[in-house]
């Protein structure tokens, strides 16, 4: 049980708000900042700048969508680093590029602040049930300091390696997710165009061991035509874009992932704020219009 420590959230969207609920239950206090300035219902006070949040927090947890949002909320006179003191702990749960994660680590180190890149694997259902997998990169002492927080929000913490390793591992995992969903969407479209009965097809796929539990959940969403965002298409496509850039930096050929990125760009263009499973519905519509 935490003893009166305060966690300051930078970004308080679908994932961070669920993390906060578990951390409050574990005994922490919480306060937050969002770029929109919206939020705060009394239970979690909202402050006007990241620096103000950092000044009042023992631990800062940032959960923002991309490199640009991370930079805007961390640096400068109103950024979180400006409000933190030496020996502080900053947990970066954002899914960002390894370069952005390392830049934040270096900036924190120069100020005596421990920074851990710790994106999470899992969507809103896992966040609801505190069953996230935390992918942590950083120094051993900082990881030990962060362990009570990770234990409150997740079922497992993977110590991925030194700073930047959590960000790299997250790209690997999300690349597999994105490519798997793309393959499903194209295969389902073929089955429907070839005349297979819709409910039979979706039901049969739900029984197949070759399809992951995560992707079975996406198939059930597609069968019901409900693409309420658990993982929005705009964020999935962003992660694929980051992976393609990272792979190119390492001169790793990734043609399958490149093709999946193009399909997920279609999903983002057509349904940015819907779940990325919307790609299955898009492909179904193409198939239906072709028969």
């Amino acid at each position: 049980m935490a003893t009166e420590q305060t966690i300051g959230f930078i970004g308080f969207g679908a994932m961070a708000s669920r993390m906060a609920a578990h951390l409050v239950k574990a005994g922490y206090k919480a306060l937050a900042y969002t770029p929109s300035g919206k939020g705060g219902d009394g239970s979690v006070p909202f402050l006007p700048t990241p620096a103000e949040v950092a000044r009042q927090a023992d631990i800062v947890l940032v959960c923002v969508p991309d490199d640009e949002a991370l930079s805007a909320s961390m640096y400068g006179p109103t950024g979180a680093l400006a409000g933190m003191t030496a020996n502080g702990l900053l947990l970066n749960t954002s899914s960002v590029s390894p370069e952005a994660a390392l830049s934040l680590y270096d900036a924190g180190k120069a100020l005596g602040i421990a920074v851990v890149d710790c994106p999470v694997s899992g969507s809103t259902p896992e966040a609801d049930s505190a069953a996230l997998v935390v992918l942590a990169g950083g120094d051993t002492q900082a990881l030990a300091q962060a362990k009570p927080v990770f234990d409150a929000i997740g079922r497992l913490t993977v110590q991925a390696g030194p700073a930047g390793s959590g960000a790299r591992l997250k790209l690997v995992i999300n690349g597999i997710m994105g490519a798997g969903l793309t393959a499903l969407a194209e295969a389902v479209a073929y089955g429907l165009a070839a005349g297979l009965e819709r409910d039979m097809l979706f039901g049969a796929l739900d029984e197949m061991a070759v399809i992951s539990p995560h992707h079975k959940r996406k198939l059930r969403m597609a069968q019901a035509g409900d693409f309420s965002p658990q993982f929005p298409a705009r964020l999935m496509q962003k992660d694929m874009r980051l992976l393609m850039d990272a792979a190119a930096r390492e001169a790793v050929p990734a043609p399958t992932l490149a093709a999946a990125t193009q399909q997920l760009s279609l999903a983002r263009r057509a349904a940015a704020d819907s779940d990325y499973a919307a790609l299955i519905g898009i492909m179904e519509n193409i198939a239906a219009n072709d028969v």
Side-chain angles (χ1 to χ4, degrees), residues 218 221-230 271 273-282 284:
K218 301 306 177 186
M221 293 174 71
Q223 184 174 14
D226 179 2
F227 299 111
S228 301
Q230 297 175 359
D273 293 319
S274 297
D275 193 89
Y276 84 109
L279 180 60
I280 303 174
I282 292 166
E284 178 175 357

Side-chain angles (χ1 to χ4, degrees), residues 207-290:
E207 298 294 332
M208 296 299 109
V210 295
I211 300 175
S212 72
H214 171 83
H215 288 120
K216 286 182 180 180
R217 187 164 77 204
K218 301 306 177 186
L219 281 167
R220 289 191 287 271
M221 293 174 71
Q223 184 174 14
D226 179 2
F227 299 111
S228 301
Q230 297 175 359
F231 188 6
R234 59 185 169 79
L235 297 182
M236 182 75 251
Q237 186 268 356
K238 176 264 300 182
D239 287 351
M240 296 297 288
R241 173 175 55 81
L242 292 177
L243 176 55
M244 292 310 302
D245 180 68
R249 288 172 185 267
E250 301 294 339
V252 173
T256 301
L257 294 171
T261 303
Q262 295 301 309
Q263 282 285 55
L264 289 160
S265 292
L266 171 64
R268 178 173 182 169
R269 177 65 63 177
D273 293 319
S274 297
D275 193 89
Y276 84 109
L279 180 60
I280 303 174
I282 292 166
M283 292 301 293
E284 178 175 357
N285 184 60
I286 290 171
N289 287 336
D290 280 349

